[in-house]
Amino acid sequence: MHWHFPEDLKYTGKHEWVKMTDQNGKKTVLIGITDYAQDKLGKIVFVELPETGREVKPGESLAVIESVKAVSDVFSPVAGSVLEVNEGLFDTPELLNEDPYAAGWIVRLAIADEAEYAGLMSVSEYLTFVRQAEEEV
Amino acid sequence: MKKGKALIFEMGHAGRRGYSLPPLDVPPKPLAELLPQELARQLPLEIPELSEGEIVRHYTNLSRSNFAVDLGFYPLGSCTMKYNPKINEEAAGLPGFAFLHPCQDGSTVQGALELIHRTEECLKEITGMARFTFQPVAGAHGEITGLLVIQAYHRARGEDRRRVLVPDSAHGTNPATAAMAGCEVVQIPSDARGMVDLAALQKAVDEHTAALMLTNPNTLGLFEEDILEISRLVHAAGGLLYYDGANLNAIMGYARPGDMGFDVVHLNLHKTFSAPHGGGGPGSGPLGVREELAPFLPLPVVEANENGYYLDYERPLSIGKVHSFYGNFAVIVKAYTYIRMLGADGLKQVSTDAVINANYLMSRLKQTYHLPYDRLCKHEFVLSAVKQKKKGAAAADVAKALLDYGMHPPTVYFPLIVEEALMVEPTETESKETLDQFIAAMEEIDRRIGENLTEITRAPHSTPVGRLDEVKAARQPRVRWSREKDREKD
Amino acid sequence: MGGQHFLPLTQLERQEMLGAMGAKSVADLFQDIPGEILLQGPLALPPTLSETEVFQHLSSLAAKNKNTREYVSFLGAGVYDHFIPSVIRHIIGRTEFYTAYTPYQAEVSQGVLQSIFEYQTLICQLTGMEVTNASLYDGATALVEGAVMACGITRRSRVLLSRAVNPFYRQVLQSYFNGRSYKVEEIPLQSGKTDPDQLQHSLSEETAALIVQTPNFFGLLEDLQGVADLLHEQGGLLLVVADPLSLPIFKTPAEYDADIVVGEGQALGSPSSFGGPLLGFLATREKYLRKLPGRIVGETVDINGKRGFVLTLQTREQHIRRERATSNICTNQALNALAAAVYLVTLGPQGLREVAGLCLQKAAYAREKINSLAGYAEAFPGTYFKEFPVCIPGEAPALNKKLLQSRIIGGLDLSKFYPELQNTMLLCVTEKRTCAEIDLLVQELEAWR
């Protein structure tokens, strides 16, 4: 597989990555889409981001990503409230294609329950998951 | 950036004019008296100034960079790009039709009302429905009108049904319309045959079902063979059956939606009945209904009595209006002209030839392209470019390569249930030579993918512009012209 | 059999093709239609006509109508008898334009795409707004789309609708809104205009938009100064219905800080055609670009860096977003939009101001003459453009019947739409009406009372 998946991240079955960070002693998570997801979506042209302060439940649509001829939701992997969104994506949505794990992060959430984070896939689990998805095709 | 064709805003010269207007022949009043300063426009009006000849040349040159049915083969699936008879245009251009005001007294528009009435009689017979409204001006407009009628019908029976079932092969307008009508969309999967999955349908229908929206033949070009069972299932649950008439061209004189059990039908006069597409409109999407639903049709409908024809507004159960007036009358004139020239035998022959042409193309092209649903088709069929994709050229590349053969490509990436879809609808107005040329082009493209892939993936090469960057257009939308100096500020 | 000249296959070819695909007869190709519904006999349609016969038949139907070329018309109400330059018919009559489909294959559709891009720019110029789409069905459905858009942007479901908005449009909005959870509240009239006190009173934090028309249905200019601020303070939007031919001289919706502008573009180069095809337009602020319904053409470059045009932002539309699309609309009125673009550049800025000025002067002349007739009176005071209501000494249908005898198509009977306005007629005077025609109308009115 030619996609890159960093070791230190957690992953979801909807092809999102989640990174736990400590911000002034508060646990927050950064969320983005994986290299696999950006490759499948193709060139991304627009990202619709949530308002800060919004409370989200796991599985709720957090952002909408558009390529020229497709629209996909980014679903929140955990419960929490939106602390920050990556405003750079408004003008340069291509960051999601070019640098999905760093400059292309999408939102930062204040996580409500850390156990939810622990329950997400590890990189090896996600690799198996992607392999299976590819075989089905 | 290299210059393409000049925009009209980059032409002309201050002080030039392209018009001549009647004189002011009434005693003029001071402008300030009629147009107080606080109500006057202050914004500049930056519209170019050109002479008549320059304008004609600009648009004539623009027209030359456009493909059209009159220029070549247009096998665009689901769009029925048939030849548009010229007599249609002459009929619609008669001053007695073109220069009628919709609010004129009924006594002064008897011919127009008679024409609508006669067209309605023809469409009733062709579809097996009881009444038509001509207000919808497009297929999607017919759909929303149909769903509003269906909702009104259920409400009148004391039921609030808000679920609309839509097959996964449906036109995008079906679910979008359901949402616009405030309904919830339930998607019904297709089975291995490419038809509505009866078991899934049975599970989905219940007391909340407002309607099932169906195209028959469906978007794969296949006749829904279980249509009578589908009709029974939906009706048994108290739902109604909606017919998307996009594909009527396959079955005229062979079968009628009314006989299949459909309660509501929209037609596309710009597809089946030969009105030209106009580069994207105007169209016409009349809506037909079964007798029980007729009271809910939009206001007004054309009626006749001993004094002649009239517009009937006395319809208390009507959903109201869906268009300023009576729909795209000029398009109705064209469709009526066509129906009268073809007649019953001619319309049946239209469907016969449309189906012969499609099956002929399908039987030949399936040797080179994958045919996911390999069975008798009606007026269109769906190929998949998966074999070509493996070699590096997607359906979109095949489509762009066809442009260099002077042909319009098939519809691509629709229906969504077929990967790398190429949806081919030849129509009945194409000759066997044209079909053979298309087959030869499609086969040659397949060969060239193996020989010189980049030539295909960079196609087209002979069109007025090369392959266009849709990503750039969507990332930095520029949807109106502005001066270069203003652009830098953006 | 009719229509053979449209069907190239010969009997021999049909047989040959059936053979090539392994079918014995045509019946084989329709065996998938269940026997119970397979039609046995021919459709009962009227007899087939040849081209000569069909044209005679259509001509005789057309001849039963009284058309506005042979009769002098004073009807308006949203569809107008304005001058149509001859070039328009010739340009939209180019077969490359009118027999093309939607420009999905951009490389062979630059003609349609560039003309729509130019149309979009012209509509922005005219209205003063920043962005617009490739056109909608008509003014009424453009209003619906604008209202739905406002509800979407504000996430509110209540619109205030002035009673001075074209009643046809109001009916269409009501039909569409009956299907869903949106609500319409009507703002009553005060002397022919939107009642400002009622407006203030009805405006709340639940208001998605106020819909007003100017010049309104009676031809009166509404006073919109400060209205946008009132709405914006409460988080609502101002939606203005505009007559495009008033905009060259009257204050634009943009100058009133309107958020959405809709209207009917038939006056820009399309004949009245018994009310269709028409041309709906919808323009708005750049920040709402992605909330626009319908097709939009955008500029880009080709593989060689050359400028070109494509349909863009298609993810808003039904074929991609399906039930989450901004609208179900799939087509536009491309040929009418082309006519409008040609009209606007043919007239140019000077010509457009002249057309508007001629309408203004001629309508004022007619209004003054008619209002001064004994038995006739001005319905409302105010600033008018090209239409005006007149109180007449009797019922409008009776007067119109009389006018027809002098080959005049009179005005609209307002009592049908406003029961409070009995014996009131809405007249329209465009630049095409001559002084002599107006004088004839005045003379007939005088004779009738």
Side-chain angles (χ1 to χ4, degrees):
Chain A
M1 286 197 290
H2 59 276
W3 303 289
H4 167 61
F5 306 117
E7 297 281 331
D8 59 333
L9 303 178
K10 289 277 196 180
Y11 295 88
T12 75
K14 307 272 189 194
H15 305 287
E16 291 131 358
W17 57 261
V18 185
K19 183 181 188 177
M20 179 77 87
T21 54
D22 211 317
Q23 234 188 5
N24 309 325
K26 258 195 99 181
K27 295 287 186 205
T28 70
V29 289
L30 270 186
I31 296 164
I33 58 167
T34 67
D35 192 22
Y36 176 79
Q38 72 78 19
D39 188 41
K40 290 287 162 192
L41 286 167
K43 290 181 179 171
I44 291 159
V45 298
F46 183 69
V47 185
E48 199 180 302
L49 297 168
E51 287 164 27
T52 51
R54 202 181 111 191
E55 299 283 333
V56 289
K57 291 197 272 295
E60 202 176 310
S61 174
L62 196 54
V64 182
I65 298 181
E66 297 185 7
S67 60
V68 172
K69 297 219 165 115
V71 182
S72 337
D73 284 287
V74 176
F75 299 99
S76 185
V78 296
S81 65
V82 179
L83 286 177
E84 200 184 347
V85 298
N86 184 354
E87 285 177 6
L89 297 177
F90 285 126
D91 287 333
T92 39
E94 53 269 37
L95 290 176
L96 282 170
N97 293 118
E98 291 160 5
D99 192 7
Y101 299 110
W105 67 277
I106 298 172
V107 292
R108 183 190 294 280
L109 295 185
I111 186 167
D113 178 5
E114 284 181 44
E116 275 180 0
Y117 172 81
L120 299 173
M121 282 186 239
S122 68
V123 70
S124 62
E125 286 167 328
Y126 182 62
L127 266 170
T128 314
F129 181 77
V130 169
R131 243 180 232 124
Q132 275 168 0
E134 279 299 287
E135 274 161 22
E136 275 168 30
V137 175
Chain B
M1 185 176 70
K2 293 179 200 166
K3 276 255 155 99
K5 272 195 170 40
L7 283 162
I8 197 116
F9 307 98
E10 296 157 349
M11 302 165 62
H13 206 278
R16 248 176 235 167
R17 58 163 62 192
Y19 66 95
S20 80
L21 284 168
L24 178 58
D25 55 358
V26 301
K29 284 188 183 281
L31 196 59
E33 201 177 300
L34 301 178
L35 173 55
Q37 186 59 29
E38 70 272 16
L39 290 175
R41 178 179 179 128
Q42 307 295 333
L43 267 186
L45 183 60
E46 292 185 42
I47 290 179
E49 296 172 68
L50 299 104
S51 66
E52 183 174 318
E54 291 173 286
I55 293 164
V56 168
R57 198 171 280 171
H58 173 71
Y59 286 104
T60 305
N61 277 313
L62 272 189
S63 77
R64 286 159 54 112
S65 61
N66 217 81
F67 193 78
V69 175
D70 281 1
L71 292 174
F73 188 39
Y74 220 131
L76 202 55
S78 173
C79 302
T80 315
M81 293 300 288
K82 60 172 71 178
Y83 169 70
N84 314 124
K86 297 301 159 197
I87 188 71
N88 293 351
E89 302 305 305
E90 271 184 59
L94 286 164
F97 293 139
F99 298 98
L100 294 185
H101 192 287
C103 300
Q104 281 179 230
D105 186 74
S107 68
T108 68
V109 291
Q110 284 294 300
L113 297 177
E114 182 178 341
L115 184 137
I116 294 174
H117 175 77
R118 282 170 173 264
T119 311
E120 178 177 2
E121 291 303 310
C122 293
L123 296 184
K124 279 157 62 174
E125 174 63 15
I126 292 167
T127 58
M129 304 312 286
R131 269 324 296 254
F132 268 84
T133 173
F134 288 88
Q135 272 187 46
V137 300
H141 200 197
E143 289 177 31
I144 183 78
T145 308
L147 285 193
L148 292 173
V149 164
I150 286 169
Q151 283 182 347
Y153 167 83
H154 288 310
R155 269 202 304 271
R157 296 160 57 94
E159 293 186 351
D160 187 28
R161 289 169 173 256
R162 293 254 161 194
R163 238 172 248 169
V164 173
L165 313 184
V166 175
D168 57 5
S169 62
H171 296 115
T173 49
N174 294 171
T177 301
M180 199 165 187
C183 292
E184 183 196 337
V185 179
V186 180
Q187 192 161 296
I188 307 296
S190 303
D191 61 19
R193 301 170 304 164
M195 299 185 194
V196 170
D197 184 329
L198 279 183
L201 177 65
Q202 186 144 28
K203 251 185 251 163
V205 290
D206 60 17
E207 72 276 15
H208 302 293
T209 305
L212 167 68
M213 298 180 87
L214 205 60
T215 311
N216 193 20
N218 65 25
T219 60
L220 294 165
L222 308 177
F223 193 87
E224 294 279 356
E225 293 177 11
D226 303 322
I227 183 60
L228 295 173
E229 180 59 13
I230 292 171
S231 165
R232 200 190 58 74
L233 280 176
V234 174
H235 287 130
L240 296 178
L241 208 51
Y242 183 97
Y243 186 83
D244 176 334
N247 294 346
L248 187 75
N249 209 46
I251 57 165
M252 283 187 293
Y254 283 98
R256 310 193 303 173
D259 301 335
M260 297 177 206
F262 283 95
D263 305 287
V264 181
V265 170
H266 91 252
L267 302 179
N268 298 64
L269 300 187
H270 49 287
K271 295 180 181 176
T272 322
F273 298 99
S274 86
H277 284 70
S284 175
L287 186 84
V289 294
R290 205 155 47 81
E291 197 66 58
E292 294 91 312
L293 288 127
F296 305 100
L297 285 178
L299 291 171
V301 293
V302 176
E303 295 281 6
N305 64 16
E306 65 282 8
N307 299 320
Y309 298 94
Y310 66 99
L311 291 166
D312 181 14
Y313 286 91
E314 300 302 318
R315 301 177 67 82
L317 294 176
S318 165
I319 59 160
K321 287 172 77 73
V322 295
H323 182 262
S324 302
F325 298 103
Y326 328 116
N328 281 348
F329 176 72
V331 182
I332 302 167
V333 175
K334 296 175 195 186
Y336 178 68
T337 307
Y338 178 75
I339 291 170
R340 292 306 312 268
M341 290 201 76
L342 272 295
D345 293 344
L347 289 178
K348 187 170 181 180
Q349 193 65 51
V350 161
S351 290
T352 305
D353 287 1
V355 172
I356 290 177
N357 278 354
N359 279 283
Y360 175 72
L361 275 186
M362 183 176 78
S363 70
R364 298 281 307 273
L365 286 171
K366 71 178 183 187
Q367 294 158 24
T368 322
Y369 292 81
H370 177 54
L371 178 66
Y373 299 96
D374 189 0
R375 52 195 297 142
L376 176 61
C377 73
K378 292 271 82 58
H379 66 306
E380 69 188 2
F381 58 95
V382 181
L383 298 169
S384 166
V386 280
K387 287 196 268 179
Q388 288 69 27
K389 178 94 186 271
K390 286 213 176 88
K391 294 190 274 178
D397 298 313
V398 174
K400 297 297 180 199
L402 264 171
L403 298 174
D404 285 328
Y405 292 82
M407 296 178 194
H408 198 283
T411 298
V412 287
Y413 302 113
F414 184 80
L416 306 177
I417 57 172
V418 174
E419 212 184 326
E420 296 297 320
L422 289 159
M423 185 190 204
V424 185
E425 180 180 9
T427 85
E428 73 284 2
T429 60
E430 297 300 333
S431 68
K432 183 166 174 297
E433 299 91 283
T434 302
L435 303 184
D436 287 336
Q437 283 161 13
F438 178 67
I439 294 163
M442 289 289 281
E443 289 173 349
E444 189 172 286
I445 289 168
D446 177 61
R447 266 201 309 281
R448 286 171 57 208
I449 292 170
E451 291 161 11
N452 190 345
L453 181 63
T454 52
E455 204 180 88
I456 299 293
T457 56
R458 288 178 68 85
H461 305 280
S462 59
T463 46
V465 292
R467 199 178 286 202
L468 289 154
D469 187 350
E470 294 190 51
V471 172
K472 180 183 160 67
R475 277 186 184 159
Q476 294 133 22
R478 203 180 278 295
V479 300
R480 67 169 204 283
W481 180 84
S482 55
R483 286 180 200 290
E484 285 302 327
K485 63 174 166 57
D486 299 333
R487 286 185 165 202
E488 283 153 24
K489 282 187 245 155
D490 291 355
Chain C
M1 190 192 77
Q4 270 164 351
H5 53 310
F6 308 138
L7 301 171
L9 295 189
T10 64
Q11 204 47 40
L12 204 64
E13 283 174 312
R14 289 182 187 115
Q15 288 309 325
E16 202 184 306
M17 291 163 81
L18 285 170
M21 61 182 99
K24 283 190 215 68
S25 68
V26 166
D28 282 2
L29 299 185
F30 291 89
Q31 62 190 5
D32 49 0
I33 300 180
E36 301 98 298
I37 54 171
L38 195 64
L39 286 176
Q40 296 309 315
L43 293 170
L45 291 175
T48 304
L49 301 176
S50 67
E51 185 170 311
T52 309
E53 292 166 313
V54 87
F55 194 67
Q56 271 169 0
H57 172 52
L58 271 293
S59 300
S60 74
L61 286 176
K64 292 181 187 174
N65 302 321
K66 296 186 176 20
N67 72 68
T68 55
R69 275 206 176 158
E70 290 168 359
Y71 283 66
V72 178
S73 171
F74 290 93
L75 265 176
V79 167
Y80 300 102
D81 182 25
H82 285 288
F83 160 61
I84 302 177
S86 174
V87 290
I88 293 179
R89 189 168 66 80
H90 291 273
I91 289 168
I92 66 170
R94 288 285 302 190
T95 174
E96 298 90 332
F97 284 131
Y98 81 82
T99 77
Y101 187 69
T102 301
Y104 286 132
Q105 292 293 339
E107 294 81 4
V108 290
S109 307
Q110 287 300 298
V112 167
L113 287 163
Q114 183 172 330
S115 73
I116 294 174
F117 184 80
E118 292 178 352
Y119 159 84
Q120 289 174 181
T121 308
L122 289 161
I123 292 295
C124 289
Q125 270 298 326
L126 207 51
T127 56
M129 302 303 283
E130 293 167 328
V131 295
T132 186
N133 66 11
S135 73
L136 296 164
Y137 305 140
D138 68 343
T141 53
L143 181 131
V144 173
E145 295 283 5
V148 170
M149 194 178 140
C151 291
I153 291 169
T154 58
R155 297 195 185 129
R156 297 175 181 181
S157 57
R158 203 177 174 81
V159 297
L160 305 182
L161 175 64
S162 163
R163 191 167 160 77
V165 169
N166 187 320
F168 303 121
Y169 294 15
R170 288 189 280 127
Q171 286 171 12
V172 174
L173 182 71
Q174 198 58 62
S175 308
Y176 270 80
F177 273 25
N178 278 344
R180 52 205 295 169
S181 51
Y182 296 159
K183 293 275 169 297
V184 181
E185 185 184 337
E186 191 173 277
I187 308 292
L189 299 178
Q190 192 203 49
S191 191
K193 292 202 263 190
T194 311
D195 185 333
D197 296 333
Q198 274 298 324
L199 168 59
Q200 288 260 16
H201 183 254
S202 300
L203 191 59
S204 77
E205 282 182 346
E206 287 169 13
T207 307
L210 165 69
I211 305 175
V212 284
Q213 179 175 344
T214 190
N216 68 23
F217 188 64
F218 307 112
L220 275 166
L221 273 292
E222 291 273 358
D223 181 13
L224 295 181
Q225 205 55 50
V227 170
D229 288 345
L230 281 179
L231 279 147
H232 295 159
E233 278 161 24
Q234 306 262 22
L237 303 180
L238 175 61
L239 193 163
V240 174
V241 184
D243 174 349
L245 278 182
S246 73
L247 297 176
I249 57 171
F250 283 99
K251 202 162 170 172
T252 60
E255 289 166 281
Y256 287 115
D257 204 17
D259 302 283
I260 301 172
V261 182
V262 302
E264 173 55 59
Q266 172 270 332
L268 310 174
S270 291
S272 49
S273 285
F274 202 41
L278 302 175
L279 171 69
F281 64 85
L282 191 167
T284 187
R285 299 177 191 278
E286 184 118 40
K287 65 175 171 181
Y288 302 138
L289 176 60
R290 285 169 197 276
K291 304 290 180 193
L292 274 176
R295 294 175 182 154
I296 301 175
V297 173
E299 183 185 317
T300 188
V301 292
D302 77 355
I303 204 163
N304 306 309
K306 188 166 140 185
R307 179 170 67 190
F309 303 90
V310 292
L311 290 176
T312 194
L313 306 175
Q314 293 189 51
T315 44
R316 299 165 298 109
E317 293 184 73
Q318 47 76 29
H319 59 286
I320 294 176
R321 233 185 186 95
R322 298 174 83 84
E323 64 267 27
R324 289 165 65 187
T326 49
S327 164
N328 75 336
I329 194 166
C330 175
T331 52
N332 62 337
Q333 299 279 107
L335 208 61
N336 299 84
L338 174 62
V342 178
Y343 177 86
L344 291 169
V345 296
T346 300
L347 274 294
Q350 191 50 37
L352 290 169
R353 282 188 285 264
E354 272 179 51
V355 168
L358 285 168
C359 292
L360 191 68
Q361 290 283 359
K362 291 185 178 191
Y365 171 77
R367 197 170 72 241
E368 195 174 276
K369 283 227 152 177
I370 295 167
N371 288 343
S372 68
L373 293 176
Y376 292 80
E378 178 175 77
F380 311 112
T383 300
Y384 286 92
F385 177 42
K386 65 187 176 194
E387 291 176 279
F388 55 93
V390 188
C391 303
I392 59 172
E395 289 185 347
L399 171 55
N400 277 336
K401 208 169 170 185
K402 167 75 171 38
L403 291 173
L404 262 182
Q405 293 167 6
S406 310
R407 300 183 80 79
I408 292 174
I409 294 172
L412 188 82
D413 176 9
L414 281 173
S415 70
K416 280 205 290 194
F417 309 99
Y418 298 90
E420 66 270 37
L421 298 178
Q422 291 299 312
N423 299 348
T424 314
M425 183 184 262
L426 182 68
L427 290 163
C428 175
V429 181
T430 68
E431 81 285 2
K432 277 179 76 178
R433 296 290 74 84
T434 63
C435 188
E437 288 168 349
I438 298 167
D439 289 344
L440 177 66
L441 172 71
V442 173
Q443 189 189 314
E444 292 298 321
L445 293 181
E446 188 167 28
W448 182 65
R449 86 193 134 79

